[in-house]
């Protein structure tokens, strides 16, 4: 998802990660795409531009990003986990027909009345069903 981060290298460094070219490229791809790609998806997209990039590097980078809360896994059934940037916080709709994952901005998500006096620090909202193109 599009992010408010303007300088990926600074953003990674603030999280204690060395901002290598490959890591910055993976971060950059995640903020440009709305695909919610898997490790294979990231690899096949970036491999042609960065021939030195290996699938293992993508895998390790995603694990590092998960550990540092830069990336979140998007819950979908399927052979491979798919990912998105953690910020800005948002929810997802997964179409079970075309497998597309739609972003839902947090402003569109109402806070349940029951939580009015609570401090909500985190919420994971994941909708599933059939998108308008597949109906
Ligand atoms: Zn669909
Ligand atoms: Zn998303």
């Amino acid at each position: 998802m599009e992010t408010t981060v303007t300088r990926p290298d600074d953003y990674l460094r603030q999280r204690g990660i060395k901002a290598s070219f490959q890591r910055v490229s993976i971060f950059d791809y995640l903020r440009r795409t709305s695909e919610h790609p898997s490790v294979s998806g990231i690899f096949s997209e970036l491999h042609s531009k960065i021939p030195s990039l290996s699938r293992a590097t993508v895998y390790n980078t995603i694990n590092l990003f998960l550990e540092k809360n830069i990336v979140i896994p998007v819950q979908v059934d399927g052979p491979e986990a798919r990912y998105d940037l953690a910020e800005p916080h948002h929810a997802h709709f997964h179409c079970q027909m075309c497998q597309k994952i739609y972003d839902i901005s947090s402003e569109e998500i109402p806070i349940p009345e029951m939580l009015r006096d609570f401090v909500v620090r985190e919420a994971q909202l994941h909708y599933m069903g059939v998108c308008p193109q597949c109906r």
Side-chain angles (χ1 to χ4, degrees):
M1 189 183 202
E2 214 165 309
T3 165
T4 45
V5 175
T6 47
R7 293 285 311 268
D9 46 350
D10 286 346
Y11 183 78
L12 296 183
R13 270 184 225 112
Q14 279 159 18
R15 278 160 179 71
I17 298 180
K18 199 170 144 259
S20 71
F21 173 70
Q22 299 191 337
R23 286 173 183 166
V24 170
S25 302
I26 292 169
F27 181 90
D28 228 22
Y29 174 55
L30 284 169
R31 71 169 174 171
R32 276 186 290 110
T33 184
S34 57
E35 292 288 310
H36 299 86
S38 61
V39 166
S40 304
I42 297 168
F43 176 72
S44 55
E45 176 68 25
L46 294 181
H47 179 61
S48 56
K49 297 174 193 97
I50 314 165
S52 62
L53 188 70
S54 70
R55 191 183 290 266
T57 301
V58 176
Y59 183 81
N60 292 336
T61 301
I62 289 296
N63 278 330
L64 181 65
F65 284 0
L66 284 167
E67 202 179 292
K68 301 286 182 181
N69 298 316
I70 293 168
V71 152
I72 48 156
V74 181
Q75 308 165 12
V76 277
D77 298 333
E80 271 199 288
R82 292 167 65 177
Y83 302 98
D84 198 3
L85 295 180
E87 291 175 24
H89 198 81
H90 61 285
H92 291 112
F93 178 92
H94 171 217
C95 175
Q96 293 169 299
M97 305 287 281
C98 65
Q99 306 304 318
K100 188 171 157 57
I101 295 167
Y102 294 82
D103 286 325
I104 306 162
S105 86
S106 56
E107 289 101 74
E108 283 204 67
I109 305 162
I111 306 232
E113 183 57 27
M114 187 244 141
L115 294 178
R116 204 174 22 159
D117 298 324
F118 291 62
V119 177
V120 178
R121 296 230 166 87
E122 220 193 290
Q124 297 294 341
L125 249 192
H126 192 79
Y127 299 89
M128 273 183 276
V130 182
C131 80
Q133 271 83 50
C134 298
R135 276 179 65 179

